[in-house]
Amino acid sequence: MAQKTTELYRGKAKTVYHTTDADKLILHFRNDTSAFDGERIEQLARKGMVNNKFNFFIMQKLEQAGIPTQVEALLSDDEVLVKKLDMIPVECVVRNFAAGSLVKRLGVEEGLALTPPTFELFLKNDALHDPMINDSHVVSFGWATAEQLAEMKRLTLRVNDVLSKLFDQAGLMLVDFKLEFGLFHGQIVLGDEFSPDGCRLWDKATRKKLDKDRFRQGLGGVVEAYEEVAQRLGVPID
Ligand code: 5GP
């Protein structure tokens, strides 16, 4: 098994380490929780562990559905071994119901059902507040080719199909989510993480928010909500 060596990159919620295998990295999920492009950061006990196990569970489900992911092995409570991807600096967002920036941008009511789901692209750049971009920006600036972008979109919509059903069975609405992809020896592979930090999940009956909006909106009970979602899905957490 690849051993952790030097730090490659420290993100807002995860630290990435090189390993003794040039093709593998280790992601360390920290308890840090940030909002508003890193302007507000707090430590939330257990969050790193919950998100690491949640992410591993979801990525396994996606692999089983034929979606290539970077995840290789769960190493510890808060570490996972992953393929070293050449990350594409573009966020792919699917929305099944209106919330967040869509509500602000278009003035629609929160919770409005979107049929078919929307697909949006954002540039991953905190200093610019992750601006919305379109297909032609991605290709013209060379962030991805048209073929790579088409594959990212296909995989993102497939993830939505798989996960909408999974969450629905657990009594949850998958409102929206963000994915990031990278290249592994030329293939588009799902990278980063899937956790309640990067998606919106509402209880189907009450529409109670069970995701990072609890932190963004100061609603409290953030990790408790993540643990409730994990427990409903059957994610093994101590
Ligand atoms: P919105 O555009 O409404 O702010 O976000 C849409 C969805 O993508 C939400 O589920 C949100 O959590 C996720 N998302 C968008 N940008 C980011 C980001 O920079 N970091 C994280 N963790 N999630 C994001």
Side-chain angles (χ1 to χ4, degrees):
M1 183 76 83
Q3 301 298 310
K4 189 200 280 186
T5 58
T6 54
E7 185 176 313
L8 167 64
Y9 174 76
R10 186 180 165 90
K12 293 193 291 287
K14 298 188 291 297
T15 307
V16 185
Y17 293 92
H18 287 292
T19 72
T20 46
D21 181 338
D23 263 347
K24 307 268 166 65
L25 297 172
I26 290 174
L27 304 185
H28 172 219
F29 286 72
R30 306 194 315 272
N31 287 338
D32 293 333
T33 312
S34 73
F36 314 116
D37 304 310
E39 275 173 35
R40 198 173 125 219
I41 300 176
E42 278 177 37
Q43 294 271 313
L44 298 179
R46 291 174 65 83
K47 200 204 66 152
M49 181 272 291
V50 173
N51 275 4
N52 183 40
K53 293 184 175 178
F54 192 99
N55 175 62
F56 185 73
F57 178 90
I58 295 288
M59 291 291 175
Q60 275 185 312
K61 294 283 179 197
L62 295 177
E63 283 282 351
Q64 286 160 14
I67 294 152
T69 80
Q70 66 176 352
V71 166
E72 293 273 308
L74 194 65
L75 296 179
S76 69
D77 271 3
D78 54 10
E79 290 178 314
V80 65
L81 184 70
V82 298
K83 295 184 185 77
K84 184 178 195 296
L85 308 186
D86 189 4
M87 292 303 290
I88 294 167
V90 169
E91 300 180 341
C92 296
V93 170
V94 163
R95 301 177 195 271
N96 296 304
F97 300 90
S101 72
L102 184 76
V103 166
K104 274 198 202 139
R105 202 179 329 121
L106 300 183
V108 294
E109 194 186 336
E110 186 181 70
L112 178 75
L114 302 166
T115 318
T118 61
F119 177 78
E120 299 170 346
L121 297 165
F122 297 86
L123 178 64
K124 195 173 160 65
N125 185 322
D126 275 345
L128 297 177
H129 306 293
D130 294 353
M132 195 176 192
I133 53 174
N134 67 24
D135 295 38
S136 81
H137 295 126
V138 174
V139 177
S140 295
F141 287 104
W143 296 315
T145 66
E147 293 71 27
Q148 289 165 348
L149 181 58
E151 179 67 352
M152 287 158 64
K153 181 173 180 181
R154 186 184 76 81
L155 290 173
T156 302
L157 293 173
R158 180 91 185 98
V159 167
N160 189 44
D161 285 344
V162 173
L163 296 187
S164 289
K165 286 194 189 79
L166 189 78
F167 286 114
D168 182 72
Q169 286 160 5
L172 297 161
M173 295 160 65
L174 178 57
V175 173
D176 58 28
F177 63 88
K178 180 260 303 176
L179 300 181
E180 295 178 29
F181 292 90
L183 288 167
F184 186 70
H185 299 297
Q187 189 197 7
I188 292 286
V189 172
L190 178 58
D192 192 48
E193 69 179 272
F194 191 102
S195 75
D197 270 0
C199 69
R200 290 193 172 93
L201 294 165
W202 296 349
D203 178 79
K204 259 200 311 190
T206 64
R207 298 214 165 185
K208 181 181 173 190
K209 294 176 177 167
L210 297 167
D211 55 66
K212 199 178 176 182
D213 272 353
R214 299 202 71 80
F215 179 73
R216 296 186 188 102
Q217 299 175 6
L219 299 173
V222 182
V223 179
E224 290 80 356
Y226 290 21
E227 288 185 301
E228 182 181 337
V229 172
Q231 188 240 322
R232 285 207 214 174
L233 283 178
V235 179
I237 287 178
D238 311 327

